[in-house]
Amino acid sequence: MKGTQLGEFEEIVLLTIALLYDDAHSIAVVEKLSQRLERPISLGAVHRTMQRLEEKGLVISRFGEATPERGGRRKRLFTITIAGEQSLREVRHIRNELWEGIPKTAFDHLT
């Protein structure tokens, strides 16, 4: 298993997989991310990231049922693992600590 540290893009893809829960396939993740970030997201980048997250043990995948709308092909569905949940919680904890450590006056000079 690769390391479990998350890059920024890996973090948002992993969060989106958790958000989509039982319907997290590459196209659904791209659509949700593009909508949330208000910019186009590359299907290839998302697909590679999902594979990397699986190599790290942060998600698992399975094939869904074949559908006529996909020409009889099956979707590869991803689900977050316990290790994935722990990684997200650790990242959130670190971010929260950093935000809480910023002095209240740190942004005053910007106004």
Side-chain angles (χ1 to χ4, degrees), residues 1 4-6 11 14-15 18 56-59 80-94:
M1 178 172 28
T4 57
Q5 288 190 329
L6 291 175
E11 180 186 353
L14 189 57
L15 283 167
K56 290 181 174 183
L58 303 178
V59 296
I80 193 165
T81 63
I82 290 172
E85 178 190 2
Q86 288 173 337
S87 288
L88 286 175
R89 290 188 186 281
E90 287 172 16
V91 168
R92 183 170 71 179
H93 178 73
I94 291 167

mmCIF file of all heavy atoms in Angstrom, residues 1 4-6 11 14-15 18 56-59 80-94:
data_model
loop_
_atom_site.group_PDB
_atom_site.id
_atom_site.type_symbol
_atom_site.label_atom_id
_atom_site.label_comp_id
_atom_site.label_asym_id
_atom_site.label_seq_id
_atom_site.Cartn_x
_atom_site.Cartn_y
_atom_site.Cartn_z
ATOM 1 N N MET A 1 0.839 -1.180 0.000
ATOM 2 C CA MET A 1 0.000 0.000 0.000
ATOM 3 C C MET A 1 0.881 1.239 0.000
ATOM 4 O O MET A 1 1.867 1.322 0.711
ATOM 5 C CB MET A 1 -0.923 -0.023 1.222
ATOM 6 C CG MET A 1 -1.784 1.203 1.306
ATOM 7 S SD MET A 1 -3.099 1.246 2.574
ATOM 8 C CE MET A 1 -2.542 0.241 3.869
ATOM 9 N N THR A 4 -0.506 7.177 2.904
ATOM 10 C CA THR A 4 -1.886 7.637 2.994
ATOM 11 C C THR A 4 -2.019 9.144 3.064
ATOM 12 O O THR A 4 -3.108 9.652 3.257
ATOM 13 C CB THR A 4 -2.579 7.008 4.217
ATOM 14 O OG1 THR A 4 -1.827 7.348 5.381
ATOM 15 C CG2 THR A 4 -2.692 5.507 4.077
ATOM 16 N N GLN A 5 -0.901 9.878 2.902
ATOM 17 C CA GLN A 5 -1.020 11.334 2.903
ATOM 18 C C GLN A 5 -1.784 11.776 1.671
ATOM 19 O O GLN A 5 -1.648 11.190 0.599
ATOM 20 C CB GLN A 5 0.347 11.989 2.928
ATOM 21 C CG GLN A 5 1.031 11.856 4.269
ATOM 22 C CD GLN A 5 2.265 12.722 4.347
ATOM 23 O OE1 GLN A 5 2.922 12.951 3.349
ATOM 24 N NE2 GLN A 5 2.555 13.202 5.536
ATOM 25 N N LEU A 6 -2.574 12.824 1.836
ATOM 26 C CA LEU A 6 -3.420 13.300 0.750
ATOM 27 C C LEU A 6 -2.911 14.597 0.166
ATOM 28 O O LEU A 6 -2.598 15.531 0.898
ATOM 29 C CB LEU A 6 -4.837 13.555 1.265
ATOM 30 C CG LEU A 6 -5.664 12.354 1.673
ATOM 31 C CD1 LEU A 6 -6.982 12.815 2.276
ATOM 32 C CD2 LEU A 6 -5.900 11.456 0.486
ATOM 33 N N GLU A 11 -7.705 15.017 -1.840
ATOM 34 C CA GLU A 11 -8.635 15.287 -0.746
ATOM 35 C C GLU A 11 -10.026 15.619 -1.282
ATOM 36 O O GLU A 11 -11.022 15.070 -0.801
ATOM 37 C CB GLU A 11 -8.112 16.442 0.108
ATOM 38 C CG GLU A 11 -9.018 16.795 1.257
ATOM 39 C CD GLU A 11 -8.548 18.045 1.996
ATOM 40 O OE1 GLU A 11 -7.457 18.568 1.700
ATOM 41 O OE2 GLU A 11 -9.299 18.508 2.866
ATOM 42 N N LEU A 14 -11.621 12.537 -2.790
ATOM 43 C CA LEU A 14 -12.043 11.613 -1.727
ATOM 44 C C LEU A 14 -13.294 12.130 -1.020
ATOM 45 O O LEU A 14 -14.220 11.362 -0.730
ATOM 46 C CB LEU A 14 -10.891 11.397 -0.738
ATOM 47 C CG LEU A 14 -11.070 10.314 0.316
ATOM 48 C CD1 LEU A 14 -11.360 8.959 -0.313
ATOM 49 C CD2 LEU A 14 -9.814 10.220 1.181
ATOM 50 N N LEU A 15 -13.347 13.423 -0.768
ATOM 51 C CA LEU A 15 -14.549 14.009 -0.166
ATOM 52 C C LEU A 15 -15.762 13.814 -1.077
ATOM 53 O O LEU A 15 -16.864 13.508 -0.612
ATOM 54 C CB LEU A 15 -14.339 15.510 0.098
ATOM 55 C CG LEU A 15 -13.499 15.859 1.317
ATOM 56 C CD1 LEU A 15 -13.109 17.340 1.267
ATOM 57 C CD2 LEU A 15 -14.250 15.557 2.600
ATOM 58 N N ALA A 18 -17.025 10.289 -0.914
ATOM 59 C CA ALA A 18 -17.818 10.113 0.305
ATOM 60 C C ALA A 18 -19.186 10.768 0.151
ATOM 61 O O ALA A 18 -20.206 10.202 0.552
ATOM 62 C CB ALA A 18 -17.070 10.695 1.503
ATOM 63 N N LYS A 56 -3.730 3.419 -2.484
ATOM 64 C CA LYS A 56 -3.393 3.814 -1.115
ATOM 65 C C LYS A 56 -4.294 3.144 -0.080
ATOM 66 O O LYS A 56 -4.092 3.305 1.119
ATOM 67 C CB LYS A 56 -3.512 5.335 -0.959
ATOM 68 C CG LYS A 56 -2.443 6.118 -1.682
ATOM 69 C CD LYS A 56 -2.612 7.616 -1.451
ATOM 70 C CE LYS A 56 -1.472 8.407 -2.040
ATOM 71 N NZ LYS A 56 -1.589 9.864 -1.747
ATOM 72 N N GLY A 57 -5.337 2.449 -0.542
ATOM 73 C CA GLY A 57 -6.257 1.783 0.376
ATOM 74 C C GLY A 57 -7.301 2.721 0.969
ATOM 75 O O GLY A 57 -7.946 2.383 1.961
ATOM 76 N N LEU A 58 -7.485 3.890 0.350
ATOM 77 C CA LEU A 58 -8.426 4.871 0.896
ATOM 78 C C LEU A 58 -9.823 4.713 0.305
ATOM 79 O O LEU A 58 -10.792 5.251 0.848
ATOM 80 C CB LEU A 58 -7.904 6.295 0.648
ATOM 81 C CG LEU A 58 -6.501 6.556 1.221
ATOM 82 C CD1 LEU A 58 -6.033 7.966 0.890
ATOM 83 C CD2 LEU A 58 -6.467 6.310 2.723
ATOM 84 N N VAL A 59 -9.912 4.006 -0.824
ATOM 85 C CA VAL A 59 -11.203 3.660 -1.422
ATOM 86 C C VAL A 59 -11.107 2.220 -1.942
ATOM 87 O O VAL A 59 -10.005 1.690 -2.125
ATOM 88 C CB VAL A 59 -11.599 4.593 -2.600
ATOM 89 C CG1 VAL A 59 -11.797 6.024 -2.141
ATOM 90 C CG2 VAL A 59 -10.598 4.515 -3.736
ATOM 91 N N ILE A 80 -15.551 4.827 -0.062
ATOM 92 C CA ILE A 80 -14.481 5.187 0.870
ATOM 93 C C ILE A 80 -14.283 4.058 1.897
ATOM 94 O O ILE A 80 -15.231 3.387 2.278
ATOM 95 C CB ILE A 80 -14.808 6.541 1.552
ATOM 96 C CG1 ILE A 80 -13.583 7.089 2.274
ATOM 97 C CG2 ILE A 80 -15.999 6.426 2.473
ATOM 98 C CD1 ILE A 80 -13.717 8.554 2.648
ATOM 99 N N THR A 81 -13.042 3.848 2.321
ATOM 100 C CA THR A 81 -12.718 2.832 3.334
ATOM 101 C C THR A 81 -12.548 3.505 4.698
ATOM 102 O O THR A 81 -12.559 4.745 4.794
ATOM 103 C CB THR A 81 -11.407 2.106 2.994
ATOM 104 O OG1 THR A 81 -10.343 3.072 3.022
ATOM 105 C CG2 THR A 81 -11.477 1.430 1.628
ATOM 106 N N ILE A 82 -12.357 2.713 5.714
ATOM 107 C CA ILE A 82 -12.096 3.262 7.052
ATOM 108 C C ILE A 82 -10.817 4.097 7.022
ATOM 109 O O ILE A 82 -10.761 5.184 7.599
ATOM 110 C CB ILE A 82 -12.001 2.131 8.092
ATOM 111 C CG1 ILE A 82 -13.383 1.507 8.300
ATOM 112 C CG2 ILE A 82 -11.452 2.646 9.425
ATOM 113 C CD1 ILE A 82 -13.380 0.265 9.166
ATOM 114 N N ALA A 83 -9.793 3.611 6.313
ATOM 115 C CA ALA A 83 -8.543 4.378 6.203
ATOM 116 C C ALA A 83 -8.792 5.703 5.485
ATOM 117 O O ALA A 83 -8.199 6.738 5.831
ATOM 118 C CB ALA A 83 -7.483 3.563 5.465
ATOM 119 N N GLY A 84 -9.671 5.713 4.490
ATOM 120 C CA GLY A 84 -10.013 6.955 3.791
ATOM 121 C C GLY A 84 -10.708 7.937 4.714
ATOM 122 O O GLY A 84 -10.411 9.133 4.714
ATOM 123 N N GLU A 85 -11.643 7.436 5.502
ATOM 124 C CA GLU A 85 -12.337 8.294 6.461
ATOM 125 C C GLU A 85 -11.332 8.884 7.461
ATOM 126 O O GLU A 85 -11.371 10.069 7.772
ATOM 127 C CB GLU A 85 -13.419 7.518 7.213
ATOM 128 C CG GLU A 85 -14.119 8.360 8.256
ATOM 129 C CD GLU A 85 -15.017 7.555 9.173
ATOM 130 O OE1 GLU A 85 -15.074 6.318 9.031
ATOM 131 O OE2 GLU A 85 -15.652 8.184 10.028
ATOM 132 N N GLN A 86 -10.415 8.042 7.950
ATOM 133 C CA GLN A 86 -9.424 8.525 8.920
ATOM 134 C C GLN A 86 -8.531 9.603 8.301
ATOM 135 O O GLN A 86 -8.210 10.596 8.956
ATOM 136 C CB GLN A 86 -8.568 7.364 9.421
ATOM 137 C CG GLN A 86 -9.323 6.445 10.349
ATOM 138 C CD GLN A 86 -8.534 5.194 10.709
ATOM 139 O OE1 GLN A 86 -7.627 4.779 9.988
ATOM 140 N NE2 GLN A 86 -8.892 4.585 11.821
ATOM 141 N N SER A 87 -8.129 9.422 7.036
ATOM 142 C CA SER A 87 -7.300 10.425 6.371
ATOM 143 C C SER A 87 -8.036 11.757 6.262
ATOM 144 O O SER A 87 -7.461 12.818 6.495
ATOM 145 C CB SER A 87 -6.892 9.949 4.979
ATOM 146 O OG SER A 87 -5.943 8.922 5.081
ATOM 147 N N LEU A 88 -9.321 11.699 5.883
ATOM 148 C CA LEU A 88 -10.098 12.937 5.785
ATOM 149 C C LEU A 88 -10.250 13.616 7.141
ATOM 150 O O LEU A 88 -10.144 14.833 7.253
ATOM 151 C CB LEU A 88 -11.474 12.649 5.187
ATOM 152 C CG LEU A 88 -11.501 12.362 3.696
ATOM 153 C CD1 LEU A 88 -12.910 11.979 3.250
ATOM 154 C CD2 LEU A 88 -10.992 13.559 2.893
ATOM 155 N N ARG A 89 -10.476 12.826 8.173
ATOM 156 C CA ARG A 89 -10.621 13.416 9.519
ATOM 157 C C ARG A 89 -9.300 14.054 9.974
ATOM 158 O O ARG A 89 -9.309 15.119 10.594
ATOM 159 C CB ARG A 89 -11.081 12.363 10.522
ATOM 160 C CG ARG A 89 -12.517 11.936 10.296
ATOM 161 C CD ARG A 89 -13.036 11.022 11.408
ATOM 162 N NE ARG A 89 -14.344 10.521 11.099
ATOM 163 C CZ ARG A 89 -15.484 11.217 11.239
ATOM 164 N NH1 ARG A 89 -15.432 12.452 11.700
ATOM 165 N NH2 ARG A 89 -16.643 10.687 10.938
ATOM 166 N N GLU A 90 -8.172 13.413 9.664
ATOM 167 C CA GLU A 90 -6.871 13.978 10.039
ATOM 168 C C GLU A 90 -6.623 15.300 9.309
ATOM 169 O O GLU A 90 -6.165 16.273 9.910
ATOM 170 C CB GLU A 90 -5.746 12.992 9.703
ATOM 171 C CG GLU A 90 -5.704 11.806 10.629
ATOM 172 C CD GLU A 90 -4.721 10.733 10.173
ATOM 173 O OE1 GLU A 90 -3.857 11.009 9.322
ATOM 174 O OE2 GLU A 90 -4.845 9.597 10.666
ATOM 175 N N VAL A 91 -6.932 15.351 8.011
ATOM 176 C CA VAL A 91 -6.737 16.577 7.233
ATOM 177 C C VAL A 91 -7.627 17.688 7.784
ATOM 178 O O VAL A 91 -7.195 18.829 7.949
ATOM 179 C CB VAL A 91 -7.033 16.325 5.737
ATOM 180 C CG1 VAL A 91 -7.134 17.625 4.970
ATOM 181 C CG2 VAL A 91 -5.965 15.435 5.138
ATOM 182 N N ARG A 92 -8.882 17.357 8.087
ATOM 183 C CA ARG A 92 -9.790 18.371 8.635
ATOM 184 C C ARG A 92 -9.284 18.874 9.977
ATOM 185 O O ARG A 92 -9.320 20.085 10.254
ATOM 186 C CB ARG A 92 -11.201 17.801 8.793
ATOM 187 C CG ARG A 92 -12.175 18.864 9.302
ATOM 188 C CD ARG A 92 -13.600 18.437 9.241
ATOM 189 N NE ARG A 92 -13.880 17.426 10.238
ATOM 190 C CZ ARG A 92 -15.057 16.876 10.442
ATOM 191 N NH1 ARG A 92 -16.076 17.225 9.685
ATOM 192 N NH2 ARG A 92 -15.231 15.977 11.361
ATOM 193 N N HIS A 93 -8.784 17.962 10.822
ATOM 194 C CA HIS A 93 -8.257 18.356 12.130
ATOM 195 C C HIS A 93 -7.074 19.324 11.974
ATOM 196 O O HIS A 93 -7.012 20.353 12.657
ATOM 197 C CB HIS A 93 -7.834 17.107 12.909
ATOM 198 C CG HIS A 93 -7.240 17.390 14.244
ATOM 199 N ND1 HIS A 93 -7.988 17.804 15.316
ATOM 200 C CD2 HIS A 93 -5.948 17.349 14.669
ATOM 201 C CE1 HIS A 93 -7.191 18.004 16.343
ATOM 202 N NE2 HIS A 93 -5.949 17.730 15.981
ATOM 203 N N ILE A 94 -6.152 19.003 11.070
ATOM 204 C CA ILE A 94 -4.989 19.872 10.837
ATOM 205 C C ILE A 94 -5.438 21.239 10.327
ATOM 206 O O ILE A 94 -4.979 22.287 10.798
ATOM 207 C CB ILE A 94 -4.010 19.208 9.842
ATOM 208 C CG1 ILE A 94 -3.354 17.993 10.495
ATOM 209 C CG2 ILE A 94 -2.967 20.206 9.346
ATOM 210 C CD1 ILE A 94 -2.609 17.094 9.526
#
